[in-house]
Amino acid sequence: MHRSFCLLALAAVVFGAELPLNTWIELRKDPVGARPGSAIRYAAEARAFFLWGFLNADPNLLQEQPLMQVPEYDVVAFDPDDGRWRGQREKFYPAYIPRTYSGKTTGSEQTVMRGTTNDAGGVPRPDLNIVFDQVAYHPGSQSLIYFTGGLTAAYDVVRRRWRDLAPAGSPPPVVGGSLAYDPVNDQIVLFGGGHAAERAPDGRLVGYTGLWVYRVKANEWRPRPGLAGPLPRMNSRLVTDTKNEALVLFGGDGQSRYLADTWIFDLKTQNWRQSKAAGGPEARAGHFTVYDPQTGWVLVGGGYNQKDLSDMWAYDVREDRWRRLHGEVPTGFYLSADLAPEKRLLVLVTSTRTPGDRMTCNVLYPVRTTYGYRLGDGIVAGDQGSGTGAAMPKLVREQRAGSGKPETVGVVNQWVKLAGQTLTRTWGSATLDNRRDRILYWGGGHCGYEGNDIDAYDIETQTWTSAETGGEYTERLWDHGVRPAGVTFEGGPWTDHGRKTYAYDPVSQKMILAHPIRLTTGYDPEALLLFPARRTMAPDAVVTTPTSYVRYSTWSYDPETRRWELLGPAPAGVDALVTTPRGVMGVNADWPARLNDPGYQLPWNPAKPEDTAIYLFDAGRRVWNRMGDRQTSPQNLYEMTSLAYDSKRDRVILHGGGARRDELWTFDMATRRWAQLQPQGAAPACAREAVYIPKEDVFLSYGPALWAYKVSENAWRQGGAAPPMPAGQNRAMVYDEKRDLVLLVLGAGGDYGKASVYAMRYQK
């Protein structure tokens, strides 16, 4: 309470007198109300800055409460005369918070206008969603036009009311793009954004779209195909230069790299041209971009690349020139700014950490911190700068030679640490490329590495190899586990928990991945229509129409070219894969189906058996073939289900299922039948990582401890080598039959830790 009083007093003092020129001043801190992923906009008719959008940074908005009254999370307005944020006083229809991990909204969830004026005291408004810069002010209607989650909506800044525009047609529900008003043609222009699944001109499926325009009077969206222009990007604002009748764009997130190019869209010719200015800002994303009509400059500041940035710049379209400006832009997890031109006032909002918060994974800070900057004479700090317009890789990998000790073969029943380390891939498994003698390692999430590239460990030379600049990455908001949608700009899969979702295919000599593509409800890309879809909600869901859904997909990764390819559909629910001589086989463990609406496990109902099946992937025809008919099969499978191939008997061993998930099943390739084994001794619960060792005729499981199932004796035994370190989720295990080595990839922790390889020759 004391701090709030001081901040309000500070705001009164600041706005009672003029702010100092060309200096950022903190105006206030609100303990909650930050809007990571949302844009602030100024409306002259209302003489206020407006902020709308949502990502669950408020600890009181629990995932278990999908419908709630959250008035502060509708539009709030900042009055520059008294320095306060004010919400609306009406009773709102309860807001719907999409069911995503930890209650976070992804921006790819469908946005629905809920509530009508006929509701008792209810005021209609859209679902809360991430907006990024997909909002522009339309002076003619005195409205902010939003495009988010597939919804095109208008917010009247004077009447403070929402309206679903329901236009003819719609762009793909991209996120991270930008809207700008075109006063020459009275239309709204959309450019940028990703997390879609669209056909490129060459036929590939890619995660972006081109330029679209919303014709306000006609109330329709239209694409503008065939325009040569900027590369795809996210998180960069497109602004209107009214003096030069142009739209201006700088930098952005290219998913594999940060961009530093400047583009101008001529509103009369409706064509792009690229700036040839020397110098300028370095590559970045997440920066603010505003237009100052008095100087005719486009102002750019802050953002991030491999670090947070605090510099400010001005770009002059007429002169095609960059200038460095005075002022150190405040840093925060996410920032947005806009300009009140008649006051010469920039207002910036960012999200910052709660005092005392020392979490390293939760970066969705709830504190809303507001800053002001008054433009004045003497703002130019220097010349054009030393920027080159060059893109910057998101991550530069260290390439280190291995120890070169091929004679190191491991010690019997003792783990030996091999040379080399790579980034930890949390919840990731691994697979063995036995043609190239490499471990292929992919996965991420939960504060782990987020690139979709693959690390390969050469067993002979004990060397990790990877693409020097990494793969494609989600925008900053998804760095710590929120599920992304669509495909990447290059048409690859987004990184997710690897678990057992991939395996090496000796037939095609590529890695096969079963990885669903998440899409916004209402968005059905033509290229994916034949892919099986899941559109159902959990049985306890309050809102029964899902805001997003998945289509089950099969991918390949070529270790030689390091390229992903979407091969085609996958059977619904297949998410546990294993390598066999015939090719990759998969089981529909379908562990997400075991969760209720808030994300907790549902109780198992054995009275409703499921059809657990095994499928064989035909690499030549790119199809999955079911092995066997519906029959008694393993039940209650979950994410720790283990699979291994028994080469002596030509069968797959499955560990998991049952009430304790400790059952052991086999699928015989000759009879195509499931059989439940009844081993002697206490049985461990499945632990995800398992291998079969033919020399010892042992199924080896690695989790909190090492367990061995001796097939010929039909008995479980605990024992063998103690784990090199506590077995968390950063673990993966493969078996190299050529060297008779069990190989473990173990990460020291999450949050970009390092993973090492351990080898052991197992004997029982």
Side-chain angles (χ1 to χ4, degrees), residues 284 286-289 299-303 309-313 329 335 348:
R284 70 191 64 205
H287 48 285
F288 73 76
T289 309
L299 309 180
V300 171
L309 303 169
S310 59
D311 51 341
M312 276 182 65
W313 296 81
V329 179
L335 62 84
L348 180 149

Side-chain angles (χ1 to χ4, degrees), residues 71-200:
E72 216 286 330
Y73 276 85
D74 197 66
V75 178
V76 289
F78 184 79
D79 184 345
D81 289 331
D82 68 6
R84 300 184 184 187
W85 287 98
R86 301 183 186 277
Q88 295 177 245
R89 300 182 182 277
E90 291 92 339
K91 179 181 179 181
F92 291 106
Y93 187 83
Y96 170 64
I97 298 179
R99 305 311 256 192
T100 63
Y101 186 79
S102 296
K104 303 164 187 171
T105 315
T106 70
S108 298
E109 306 297 319
Q110 183 185 42
T111 306
V112 176
M113 191 76 75
R114 299 185 190 274
T116 68
T117 53
N118 295 325
D119 294 322
V123 177
R125 65 173 178 182
D127 292 334
L128 304 166
N129 218 339
I130 295 174
V131 177
F132 289 94
D133 280 301
Q134 290 176 196
V135 51
Y137 184 64
H138 180 246
S141 61
Q142 297 185 339
S143 297
L144 290 164
I145 307 297
Y146 289 88
F147 178 67
T148 178
L151 174 76
T152 304
Y155 181 78
D156 188 314
V157 299
V158 177
R159 296 178 60 246
R160 302 296 296 273
R161 288 291 184 269
W162 284 99
R163 181 164 55 98
D164 184 351
L165 296 175
S170 177
V174 294
V175 292
S178 180
L179 299 186
Y181 177 58
D182 169 4
V184 174
N185 302 287
D186 191 29
Q187 61 188 14
I188 305 292
V189 177
L190 166 66
F191 180 78
H195 296 258
E198 295 292 301
R199 286 291 188 196

Side-chain angles (χ1 to χ4, degrees), residues 426-753:
T426 50
W427 294 81
S429 294
T431 189
L432 180 68
D433 176 349
N434 52 22
R435 177 178 179 271
R436 301 170 183 87
D437 291 340
R438 293 178 179 177
I439 300 172
L440 304 180
Y441 185 46
W442 182 85
H446 283 320
C447 298
Y449 180 60
E450 291 293 329
N452 71 349
D453 56 327
I454 288 179
D455 293 326
Y457 186 77
D458 189 298
I459 302 170
E460 185 71 11
T461 64
Q462 298 182 31
T463 304
W464 283 104
T465 61
S466 58
E468 292 183 1
T469 57
E472 292 178 283
Y473 305 74
T474 52
E475 195 275 339
R476 191 177 193 176
L477 285 180
W478 285 279
D479 271 1
H480 292 74
V482 181
R483 62 189 185 186
V487 298
T488 69
F489 284 165
E490 292 295 323
W494 290 111
T495 308
D496 202 350
H497 298 334
R499 294 189 175 97
K500 304 296 288 188
T501 59
Y502 60 94
Y504 179 71
D505 178 19
V507 178
S508 64
Q509 299 178 2
K510 297 178 181 179
M511 192 186 90
I512 302 301
L513 169 71
H515 186 71
I517 298 174
R518 181 163 294 278
L519 300 165
T520 305
T521 294
Y523 175 49
D524 290 276
E526 183 179 355
L528 301 177
L529 287 179
L530 298 181
F531 289 50
R534 170 175 284 167
R535 304 176 189 266
T536 58
M537 295 289 286
D540 61 335
V542 176
V543 177
T544 55
T545 300
T547 54
S548 65
Y549 70 103
V550 297
R551 288 194 179 273
Y552 296 97
S553 310
T554 306
W555 304 78
S556 71
Y557 177 83
D558 189 329
E560 297 294 337
T561 64
R562 295 178 178 171
R563 301 286 296 180
W564 287 102
E565 183 181 2
L566 179 62
L567 300 181
V574 167
D575 53 11
L577 273 56
V578 64
T579 297
T580 78
R582 290 179 173 83
V584 170
M585 302 186 74
V587 174
N588 57 329
D590 198 13
W591 70 267
R594 307 285 179 270
L595 304 178
N596 67 2
D597 201 32
Y600 300 102
Q601 287 192 54
L602 291 163
W604 176 42
N605 183 0
K608 295 182 178 180
E610 297 179 348
D611 182 19
T612 303
I614 280 193
Y615 299 84
L616 173 64
F617 184 66
D618 183 331
R621 298 175 55 223
R622 300 186 172 193
V623 297
W624 291 89
N625 296 312
R626 176 168 177 152
M627 310 296 286
D629 300 324
R630 185 175 184 126
Q631 56 190 283
T632 302
S633 59
Q635 301 292 299
N636 197 32
L637 304 183
Y638 199 53
E639 58 184 339
M640 292 295 135
T641 298
S642 304
L643 294 177
Y645 175 69
D646 180 347
S647 57
K648 283 184 175 291
R649 300 165 185 84
D650 191 19
R651 64 183 184 178
V652 173
I653 300 175
L654 182 149
H655 183 206
R660 297 181 60 246
R661 297 196 170 107
D662 60 352
E663 296 177 354
L664 205 60
W665 291 72
T666 62
F667 186 86
D668 185 272
M669 298 304 299
T671 64
R672 299 192 176 187
R673 303 293 299 176
W674 285 106
Q676 183 179 356
L677 305 180
Q678 301 294 333
Q680 303 172 20
C686 57
R688 193 186 72 212
E689 300 303 316
V691 296
Y692 174 74
I693 305 174
K695 185 176 180 180
E696 298 293 321
D697 200 18
V698 160
F699 174 87
L700 199 65
S701 172
Y702 179 75
L706 198 68
W707 285 80
Y709 170 71
K710 187 71 173 179
V711 181
S712 59
E713 298 175 5
N714 191 31
W716 279 106
R717 289 190 178 87
Q718 183 180 356
M725 64 179 71
Q729 295 303 335
N730 302 333
R731 69 183 191 276
M733 184 166 69
V734 300
Y735 176 65
D736 179 4
E737 187 171 2
K738 183 188 299 183
R739 296 171 180 81
D740 188 25
L741 288 178
V742 180
L743 298 162
L744 270 178
V745 183
L746 289 180
D751 215 8
Y752 304 96

